[in-house]
Amino acid sequence: YIGNRGMQSMKILWQKIPHKMRRYCFFETNDWETYQCVLPKDQHWIGKAYTYFIEGFFAKVRARVSRLVRINCTAHLFIAHKAPAKRGAKRIASR
């Protein structure tokens, strides 16, 4: 969900979180008033203690996914370029 940081957007986001996660998970956010109003006090941590770990993890995921995409695209172009032309088919010049 992408929205602004207003109360209405936070309520919509909260409803989209699966019920088990809303019930059993902890949520760490910054000190924004909207979060404090919507998130249950016993499940809401204010701070940045896990930010370094979480951002590092997702940076690694993004890097690995982009590498896999590049490898897949390269292999696809290599296979398409080396494939023999079928009779009667027009060959399209690669750019």
Side-chain angles (χ1 to χ4, degrees), residues 6-73:
M7 184 70 73
Q8 186 64 31
S9 293
M10 184 60 196
K11 287 180 181 178
I12 292 169
L13 175 62
W14 180 250
Q15 292 302 317
K16 289 187 176 196
I17 296 173
H19 178 69
K20 285 186 179 181
M21 289 182 73
R22 283 188 279 163
R23 186 170 178 187
Y24 298 112
C25 290
F26 290 96
F27 302 91
E28 183 176 9
T29 67
N30 57 10
D31 194 18
W32 194 259
E33 184 180 355
T34 304
Y35 299 141
Q36 295 175 19
C37 294
V38 176
L39 298 173
K41 291 183 191 272
D42 58 334
Q43 292 176 267
H44 184 209
W45 296 345
I46 297 173
K48 297 285 184 175
Y50 297 104
T51 302
Y52 178 78
F53 171 77
I54 292 169
E55 288 183 0
F57 173 77
F58 284 118
K60 287 179 186 176
V61 170
R62 279 193 304 273
R64 290 183 181 178
V65 168
S66 64
R67 182 173 179 267
L68 290 174
V69 168
R70 286 194 307 270
I71 289 171
N72 190 20
C73 290

